[in-house]
Amino acid sequence: MNDNPRLLPNVSLGVKIYDSLLNARMTHQNTLKLLSASEKTVPNFKCDKQNNLIAVVGGPDSEISLYMATLLSIYKIPQIAYCVIAPVVDAKSELPSLYRIVPNEEYQYTGIVKLLGHFQWTWVGILTMENDNGDKFVQTLMPLLLKHGICIALNGKIPAISNAIDTLSSFDIILNMASYLSNSEVQVLVVNAENPTVPSLNWTIYLYAMLKGITETSIFKVWIFTAQWEFTLETMRRTSKIQVFDGALSFAIHTNEVPEFREFLQTLHPNSAKEDIFLHIFWEQAFNCFFPDSKTAKESANVCSGEEKLDNLPGTLFEMSMIGQSYSIYNAVHAIAHSLQKMVSSRSKHCKAMPDGAKLDLTNLQYWQLHHFLRSISFNNTGGETVSFNENGELASGFDIINWVTFPNQSFSKLKVGRMDPWATLDQEFTINEVITWHYMFNQVLPLAKCNENCPPGYSRKKKEGKPFCCYDCVPCPDGKISDQMDIDDCFQCPEDEFPNKNRDQCLPKSMNFLSFSEPLGTTLVFFILAASFTTALVLGIFIKYKNTPIVKANNRALSFFLLISLFLCNLCALLFIGQPQWVTCYLRQTAFGIIFSVAVSCLLAKTITVVLAFMATKPGSTMRKWVGRKLAISIILGCSLIQVTICSIWLSTAPPFPNFNMNSLVEEIIIECNEGSITMFYFVLGYLGLLAFVSLTVAFLARKLPDSFNEAKFITFSMLVFCSVWLSFVPSYLSTKGKYMVAVEIFSIWVSSAGLVGCIFVPKCYIIILRPSLNTKEQLIRRNM
């Protein structure tokens, strides 16, 4: 920057570096040294002060940054932290001078939850520092996990670096605290990877493996680290087996490649950077050698030539690309420089406008004056990324998701596999690449992190008593319900026109259920109906042809014709019950059946009453003679039939039958049926028909002993017994069947009752007429009577 003519020309920026030693006392002491004019810690005095402090960059972790901020905020000195700040305090209100060149930590929490949810990991462990930051991490993350259906399998504590030696001195404590390493039920561990955490975790894994007599590489988990994680010399022992972290996922502060940075590193040489006091120290530690003039050189030690190549160092010691922490410091320094540039430009314009042409004195710039420009700064760094602070003093950016792939030679590769970008559109806020390298022990199969196996489709989850909500039993869906997804809480009903399959994981369309002409049952019934109709028509033809014979005349041929015609129509009306129900067929079939059968039974009643009155009229002085005749029979038929017609008319005018799709009676079928409209009126029709049959049976039974030549009461009695038996058994059969079988029961009852009447009454007469014509004479009838 000092060589850049476009950025702060004629102004040199310098830096003082202090080490906090990860210690609160040293952090406060060194912060006070920044405020002092001399080496002595005497703040608030500017005596002989050569350099003008303008801003502070630091510190490396949340705890150190907050220690610094408590002092620097008193003096309103801008501080730009390059670590994720734990939400222990409200930095905006309590520490207004603190800026963070990293995104808000809440985005990292959201990213962790979305990452776990994406891979359906619901049974995870959390590892944190044994301090306030660790507790705050758990308190913040746990409600988010529970809200999204993720259970905490364990909450492990890693000892802070200050007391790690004491804690790890007891082998029992080591085995107890590291139980998460051997817990095969917990495959995913979320680690709050603050700087002190990782070295302690590394040592814990090493000692645990040693005590258990296993290799570090045999410990395999899915590690999810927060943004502070890096494979560095500070966090890893030189002899560490980094394969234990193979396939780990970590959140990282979003970085872009800085042009020419790698070339810059390749030009570094310990002998060409006299002013860089750190380069010699780093060179000796990285290459495990010593320079001849080094104070710590040993006779047997390797001598540093200065020609060693940084490219040859393992990634755990040095990376040739800019890591997240370096990228944040890089942006922080540029943010200060650009803010200072804006402030200098603003002050320069002000000086030029003054009458005396006063010159700008940079040594009099006050650090608190930089805040106005720092808050509104926005610039593009050399990586092509826009850097700016939001209203909370945080970097308006997101987090990258890194997949760490390790190799046996202690090298590793960092693959950017996803992003958590709160500034993107909703569907792009969280993105993840499905091609992720997992620990080799998982055989590149997605690791599972569940309390138990998934409930497959066809089952629902049932919570286990005394267990977290992520632990559940799988129970089959009840009858009539399905589940078509994994791990569903409640099975659900299929739509009305569908039904569950055998496995109860899919809804199948219901088939239509009605008695059709094409199916075997419908074809069989049609055959019997047509056969009965043909037989009835044949009998009617015989009676018409032989209408003047004694046997036909003796049995009231007019009523016989009426009865045969009505029975013929009864057979045909059964055809209205076959086929898909329509408005017309639903209107006609029950009413036609009721009226036509009423006419038939009325004819039987009229025949029986006529016979009874005829014999009563033959007695001397009987007054019944005037009732004997055709008028009485017609009156009985019309009167009885008219009552049924009235009932049917009331039925059709109030609640007529209509086609209906019955979705619920059968599980796998939709019954297309005729809804009777008013079931009461339907049973009125049947009840009246039953009343006529009972009266006819009674009269015929009482008249059964009259002379045989003129009396068919015995045949009528037997036929009515058949008729009543059929229709009495019809009612329970009709109520106990559904769909097309209910219709078939009614058709069968119509056919049997019609055939019974024809067979019992007319077949014996046809036998005499056709096969025994010698008996069909008046003399034979008189002789039989005598």
Side-chain angles (χ1 to χ4, degrees), residues 127 154 174-175 177-184 186 189 201 204-209 214 218-221 223 244-245:
L127 300 181
L154 63 89
I174 295 173
L175 294 175
M177 295 190 67
S179 60
Y180 51 81
L181 296 175
S182 59
N183 190 342
S184 60
V186 183
L189 294 173
L201 174 63
T204 301
I205 294 174
Y206 170 75
L207 293 174
Y208 178 83
I214 59 177
S218 65
I219 300 172
F220 59 97
K221 301 288 182 183
W223 302 91
V244 72
F245 299 114

Side-chain angles (χ1 to χ4, degrees), residues 114-380:
K114 289 184 177 292
L115 179 65
L116 296 174
H118 176 81
F119 292 114
Q120 298 182 2
W121 292 332
T122 58
W123 189 247
V124 301
I126 299 178
L127 300 181
T128 64
M129 287 289 292
E130 198 173 16
N131 58 16
D132 292 341
N133 286 345
D135 294 339
K136 191 64 178 180
F137 180 83
V138 174
Q139 293 170 9
T140 306
L141 182 60
M142 187 176 292
L144 292 175
L145 296 178
L146 298 178
K147 180 180 178 181
H148 290 82
I150 301 171
C151 291
I152 312 302
L154 63 89
N155 182 10
K157 295 294 184 182
I158 301 174
I161 196 68
S162 58
N163 60 357
I165 302 300
D166 296 335
T167 303
L168 298 180
S169 60
S170 171
F171 290 166
D172 292 336
I173 295 178
I174 295 173
L175 294 175
N176 183 51
M177 295 190 67
S179 60
Y180 51 81
L181 296 175
S182 59
N183 190 342
S184 60
E185 295 181 357
V186 183
Q187 296 285 9
V188 177
L189 294 173
V190 180
V191 182
N192 182 28
E194 292 187 298
N195 280 341
T197 309
V198 182
S200 183
L201 174 63
N202 185 37
W203 275 103
T204 301
I205 294 174
Y206 170 75
L207 293 174
Y208 178 83
M210 182 183 67
L211 293 173
K212 286 288 188 179
I214 59 177
T215 60
E216 293 178 60
T217 55
S218 65
I219 300 172
F220 59 97
K221 301 288 182 183
V222 177
W223 302 91
I224 299 177
F225 295 103
T226 54
Q228 298 92 327
W229 167 262
E230 289 288 349
F231 278 140
T232 64
L233 183 62
E234 291 182 349
T235 60
M236 302 296 296
R237 296 174 295 107
R238 188 180 291 270
T239 58
S240 292
K241 301 296 183 182
I242 64 172
Q243 287 87 351
V244 72
F245 299 114
D246 184 37
L249 297 172
S250 73
F251 286 82
I253 297 166
H254 176 65
T255 61
N256 275 3
E257 184 177 354
V258 178
E260 302 180 0
F261 180 70
R262 186 181 184 89
E263 290 76 7
F264 166 75
L265 293 178
Q266 290 173 340
T267 62
L268 291 179
H269 193 281
N271 297 325
S272 63
K274 299 297 184 182
E275 72 280 2
D276 191 344
I277 62 172
F278 297 107
L279 194 55
H280 268 74
I281 300 173
F282 165 75
W283 208 272
E284 290 178 340
Q285 291 184 357
F287 293 103
N288 197 22
C289 63
F290 294 93
F291 288 100
D293 58 349
S294 174
K295 295 179 181 180
T296 57
K298 298 179 181 179
E299 293 182 2
S300 60
N302 298 324
V303 177
C304 298
S305 65
E307 300 302 324
E308 294 84 0
K309 299 295 184 183
L310 294 175
D311 307 60
N312 297 331
L313 289 175
T316 52
L317 295 179
F318 189 77
E319 292 188 54
M320 295 297 289
S321 61
M322 191 174 286
I323 63 175
Q325 191 178 79
S326 301
Y327 189 73
S328 297
I329 297 174
Y330 174 80
N331 284 331
V333 176
H334 274 81
I336 295 171
H338 281 272
S339 300
L340 191 57
Q341 169 82 8
K342 289 179 64 177
M343 187 171 70
V344 169
S345 300
S346 175
R347 297 285 290 272
S348 297
K349 293 178 183 179
H350 177 70
C351 290
K352 290 179 181 179
M354 295 179 66
D356 56 357
K359 293 184 178 181
L360 176 64
D361 185 5
L362 293 179
T363 59
N364 290 327
L365 290 178
Q366 301 297 315
Y367 27 68
W368 56 266
Q369 295 172 328
L370 191 64
H371 284 294
H372 171 73
F373 302 96
L374 197 56
R375 291 191 188 99
S376 59
I377 192 65
S378 179
F379 65 95
N380 290 335

Side-chain angles (χ1 to χ4, degrees), residues 27-28 392 420 721 764 783:
T27 300
H28 286 106
N392 295 321
M420 179 63 201
L721 282 174
R783 185 180 297 113

Side-chain angles (χ1 to χ4, degrees), residues 30 92 103 129 134 153 272 302 350 393 423 480 556 565 593 602 706 713:
N30 288 331
K92 182 181 178 182
M129 287 289 292
S272 63
N302 298 324
H350 177 70
W423 309 100
N556 200 332
I565 293 172
F593 151 72
S602 299
L706 294 177

Side-chain angles (χ1 to χ4, degrees), residues 342-508:
K342 289 179 64 177
M343 187 171 70
V344 169
S345 300
S346 175
R347 297 285 290 272
S348 297
K349 293 178 183 179
H350 177 70
C351 290
K352 290 179 181 179
M354 295 179 66
D356 56 357
K359 293 184 178 181
L360 176 64
D361 185 5
L362 293 179
T363 59
N364 290 327
L365 290 178
Q366 301 297 315
Y367 27 68
W368 56 266
Q369 295 172 328
L370 191 64
H371 284 294
H372 171 73
F373 302 96
L374 197 56
R375 291 191 188 99
S376 59
I377 192 65
S378 179
F379 65 95
N380 290 335
N381 62 16
T382 55
E385 187 174 33
T386 301
V387 178
S388 62
F389 295 105
N390 61 17
E391 64 277 6
N392 295 321
E394 299 159 336
L395 182 67
S397 181
F399 291 93
D400 292 331
I401 300 175
I402 305 299
N403 183 207
W404 297 79
V405 183
T406 64
F407 304 100
N409 63 355
Q410 292 295 85
S411 63
F412 63 88
S413 175
K414 294 194 299 184
L415 303 177
K416 190 180 296 186
V417 295
R419 179 104 190 260
M420 179 63 201
D421 187 2
W423 309 100
T425 57
L426 188 60
D427 59 332
Q428 294 295 317
E429 182 182 33
F430 176 83
T431 55
I432 189 72
N433 186 352
E434 295 295 338
V435 182
I436 295 177
T437 301
W438 306 109
H439 193 285
Y440 69 92
M441 293 292 288
F442 290 115
N443 296 321
Q444 296 312 309
V445 177
L446 176 66
L448 298 178
K450 292 180 176 292
C451 180
N452 47 262
E453 293 294 328
N454 297 93
C455 289
Y459 290 78
S460 63
R461 299 190 298 187
K462 181 181 179 182
K463 186 180 181 304
K464 289 183 178 180
E465 293 296 332
K467 295 285 186 178
F469 66 89
C470 293
C471 302
Y472 47 81
D473 293 317
C474 297
V475 295
C477 290
D479 292 339
K481 292 186 176 183
I482 71 158
S483 64
D484 56 358
Q485 297 178 6
M486 303 282 283
D487 286 337
I488 199 167
D489 290 325
D490 294 300
C491 301
F492 58 89
Q493 296 278 0
C494 286
E496 282 193 333
D497 58 345
E498 297 179 349
F499 70 97
N501 63 352
K502 183 179 180 180
N503 295 328
R504 300 177 185 177
D505 59 0
Q506 187 181 4
C507 290
L508 302 177

